[in-house]
Amino acid sequence: MPITSNEISVEVNGQGYILPAGSTLGDALKVSRAPYIAGAAVGILKKAAEKRTEEVTEYAINTPKGELRIEIKDPESSSGKLWAEHYKEYEGKSIHWASPEAVAFGPFEADIKPSRETGSFEAFDVLFGAGGFDSHNTHLILSRRRHTAEYGAPAEGVFAAVVTGRKIIFKLSREDSILSIDPVIEWEQLAEKTCTTDLSVPLEDEDSIFTYFEVELSRNAPVGAEHFYALTREGTFNVDVVTSSFISDDILREVPVPYENFEARREGTISMRTVGYGTGRTYISREERPSSLVHSVVGQVTKGLELIKLAEKGQKLSVESLPPQIILLGHSFEEAEPVLSSIGVELIRDGYTGKDSVIVRQDPPTTLEILGEAKVTAYAVSRAKLIEVELYPERAPKSVDFFRHSLELKTKTVGKLPVHMIYDDTYLFKTEEKVVKYKEVLPENTPTGKVLAGEIGITNQAAKRMGTIGVRLVDDDLFGPTGEKLSSTNIIGRIVEPERLKEIKEGDSIYIIEAARRRIDDQENQE
C-alpha cells in the first residue's frame, strides 16, 4: 500500500513501519515495541547514504561451511555488471561439480558470451563459466589452486577474487549450496549515519533503525558464555574502546577467563582475551580477523551487527543473549523448579531443604552445561545465612572492586565469605579468592568519626592484615570494623540486616548478595 505525503516509511530492526511525517526516534520505538534498554544508544542509517555508495565491490557469500567474501576487480566489466545485477539469483544454487582445482555453483541461465579459449587461473579467482559453451548452463566457479582449463568463460575471464574465508573453499562439497549473498557496505565511510541516545531525533523516509543486537553463545565455551552473561547482566554492552576492527567492553577486565574455543573471528564474533594485557576484556569484531591463541571465541552476533558498526565510544548498547542465562543463586527451590521444568531441566536438591532455603551453589556451574546435561544439582542454605549488603562504589571504587572480585560477585549473583574470627561484637572474614596477591587496597573512604554498626570495612595496606574484611554490631569512634585504627580501614558498604550475624559461628560461611541485585531479581519474578 503506497504511503501518503503525510507519512514516512521506516525500518526498525528489519521490520517495516508506517509513521506520521515528523515522527521521532522515540515514536518509532513506541510503535515497534523494539527491544531497548533506557539510556542505550540507537543506530540510524539513512537510505540516502546507502544509495550514495557508488560501487559495492565486496560481497559476503554464506555457505553451510562458513562465510567467504569476494572482491570485484572491475565493476564495469560485463561479468562485474552481471554479478551486481543478478547476484541474489544465485542464492540457493548448489555445487554442481567439484575438483581439486575448482568448485562450481549452478547451473543457471546468464547473459554471457562463452569463449572456447583455454584460460589460466590463479588460486581464489572467481569467474562465470558455461558448461558445453552454453549460456543456459552457466556456473559460478571458484578456483582452488593455479591451473588451466576450458570453462567457457567470457573473454574477460576472471571478474573477482576470494579475499577472506579462503579455507572455506577447500571444505565445500557436493552437498553444499549458497545460503545467502549480501553486499558489504563500509559503514564507517557513510556520511549519513548516527548512533544516539536522543529519542527526540526526527526521522526521515526510509530510515533504518537498530535498537539492539542479539548474540548466540557457543556451546564450546560455557565458562566464557557465563562471563558474557555477567558482563551484560543489566542488558547492555558498554563501548569502552572503538577501533575499525572491534569494539570492547572493559567492565570485567582483570577477571580471569579460560581459553576454550579456537575459531576464526568473523564480523560479529564475540571473543575474550585470556592472557596478558587486557585479560577478561570482551571484544566484538567489526571485521574479519584470524584466529588467536589469546582470544577465546564465546559467541556470534546473529542480529543487529549494524549497531556494532555504528557504535561510538562511551555508549552502551542493548543486547539479548541466546540462550537466556539460568540464574539459580539467590532463589529458593520453589522459585527455581518450575522455571527449570519448563525448559526440560531436572532439579536435584542438595543441602538445606527447608521452606526458607536459598540456593547458593549449583553444579554444573554454567548455563550451557546445565542445558547440555538437562540436569542441575542446587545446594542451598537457610535464608538466614544469605546476607544482603549495600556497597558504596562511588565512595570506595577500588575497595568495592576488591570485595566483589574476592567473592566472585563480578560474575555471580551470590558470593561466599568464610568466617575467620568472632570476638565481642566483631566479625572478621577471609576471602577464598587470593585477590590480595594482585590487587592493592589503597586507603580510600577512611572514617574520620564514628563507624556505624553494620558497616563493612576492609583493612587497607597501611596495616599488616591488608584485605581482612570485618563488621561490628555496635558503633565505634576509635576502631574500624576489622579492629584496626580508622586510618587503616576503608568503609565499603553496610549490611542491611546486621542482626543476622548473631547466629553465625567461627568456621561457618555466610553468603553475600548485593541489595540492588536482589531488588532487580525480585522485580523480574513479579513480572
Side-chain angles (χ1 to χ4, degrees), residues 2 6 43 48 55 88 123 141 201 208 235 246 275 292 338 378 388 399 410 416 444 475 489 503:
N6 295 322
E55 292 181 355
K88 277 294 182 182
I141 300 172
V201 170
S208 295
F246 69 83
V275 295
S292 169
E388 193 172 20
S399 301
K410 301 188 87 173
K416 183 180 180 181
E444 62 179 352
D475 297 347
T489 306
E503 304 299 321

Side-chain angles (χ1 to χ4, degrees), residues 212-218 224-225 228-229 231-232 237 268-272 282-284 298-305 308 318-324 368:
Y212 81 113
F213 68 97
E214 180 183 270
V215 172
E216 183 175 346
L217 294 165
S218 173
F228 187 80
Y229 285 132
L231 181 82
T232 58
F237 182 97
T269 292
I270 314 291
S271 63
M272 293 172 184
T282 300
Y283 298 80
I284 304 180
V298 304
Q300 182 70 33
V301 174
T302 51
K303 291 181 182 177
L305 182 60
I308 303 301
S318 294
V319 56
E320 292 190 357
S321 298
L322 297 176
L368 298 183

Side-chain angles (χ1 to χ4, degrees), residues 368-419:
L368 298 183
E369 289 173 306
I370 291 172
L371 293 173
E373 296 183 17
K375 181 170 61 177
V376 60
T377 299
Y379 177 85
V381 298
S382 67
R383 191 162 289 274
K385 288 191 174 182
L386 184 69
I387 306 299
E388 193 172 20
V389 302
E390 179 187 348
L391 299 178
Y392 306 151
E394 295 82 8
R395 304 180 205 171
K398 295 291 186 182
S399 301
V400 167
D401 181 75
F402 173 91
F403 182 79
R404 286 173 171 160
H405 205 142
S406 301
L407 276 66
E408 297 185 306
L409 285 172
K410 301 188 87 173
T411 55
K412 298 179 180 178
T413 52
V414 174
K416 183 180 180 181
L417 192 57
V419 181

Side-chain angles (χ1 to χ4, degrees), residues 240-466:
D240 293 317
V241 177
V242 174
T243 72
S244 61
S245 59
F246 69 83
I247 63 173
S248 72
D249 187 327
D250 290 356
I251 285 181
L252 294 183
R253 185 174 166 181
E254 296 184 9
V255 177
V257 60
Y259 195 98
E260 299 172 283
N261 192 25
F262 181 80
E263 281 186 24
R265 291 175 289 169
R266 301 180 289 137
E267 281 187 327
T269 292
I270 314 291
S271 63
M272 293 172 184
R273 189 171 181 89
T274 57
V275 295
Y277 180 78
T279 294
R281 172 187 278 178
T282 300
Y283 298 80
I284 304 180
S285 298
R286 284 175 138 180
E287 58 185 38
E288 185 160 327
R289 283 291 182 267
S291 305
S292 169
L293 293 175
V294 298
H295 284 262
S296 181
V297 173
V298 304
Q300 182 70 33
V301 174
T302 51
K303 291 181 182 177
L305 182 60
E306 296 88 350
L307 184 58
I308 303 301
K309 293 191 173 187
L310 294 171
E312 299 174 5
K313 183 177 180 179
Q315 294 179 333
K316 62 181 181 179
L317 309 178
S318 294
V319 56
E320 292 190 357
S321 298
L322 297 176
Q325 185 181 22
I326 296 174
I327 302 177
L328 304 181
L329 306 188
H331 295 286
S332 67
F333 288 127
E334 286 68 28
E335 291 171 330
E337 193 154 40
V339 175
L340 293 173
S341 178
S342 69
I343 57 175
V345 174
E346 178 188 358
L347 173 64
I348 300 173
R349 304 185 184 206
D350 192 15
Y352 180 78
T353 57
K355 289 185 177 180
D356 61 335
S357 65
V358 58
I359 298 169
V360 295
R361 190 171 69 243
Q362 64 190 46
D363 183 32
T366 72
T367 295
L368 298 183
E369 289 173 306
I370 291 172
L371 293 173
E373 296 183 17
K375 181 170 61 177
V376 60
T377 299
Y379 177 85
V381 298
S382 67
R383 191 162 289 274
K385 288 191 174 182
L386 184 69
I387 306 299
E388 193 172 20
V389 302
E390 179 187 348
L391 299 178
Y392 306 151
E394 295 82 8
R395 304 180 205 171
K398 295 291 186 182
S399 301
V400 167
D401 181 75
F402 173 91
F403 182 79
R404 286 173 171 160
H405 205 142
S406 301
L407 276 66
E408 297 185 306
L409 285 172
K410 301 188 87 173
T411 55
K412 298 179 180 178
T413 52
V414 174
K416 183 180 180 181
L417 192 57
V419 181
H420 176 61
M421 183 183 298
I422 300 174
Y423 65 91
D424 298 331
D425 291 305
T426 302
Y427 294 75
L428 301 181
F429 306 91
K430 277 286 189 180
T431 65
E432 292 185 320
E433 188 81 17
K434 302 299 182 182
V435 183
V436 176
K437 292 182 178 180
Y438 58 91
K439 288 269 189 180
E440 293 182 321
V441 187
L442 297 171
E444 62 179 352
N445 199 35
T446 54
T448 55
K450 183 184 295 184
V451 176
L452 302 178
E455 287 194 311
I456 307 168
I458 295 181
T459 300
N460 61 41
Q461 60 192 49
K464 291 183 179 180
R465 295 188 302 167
M466 184 188 80

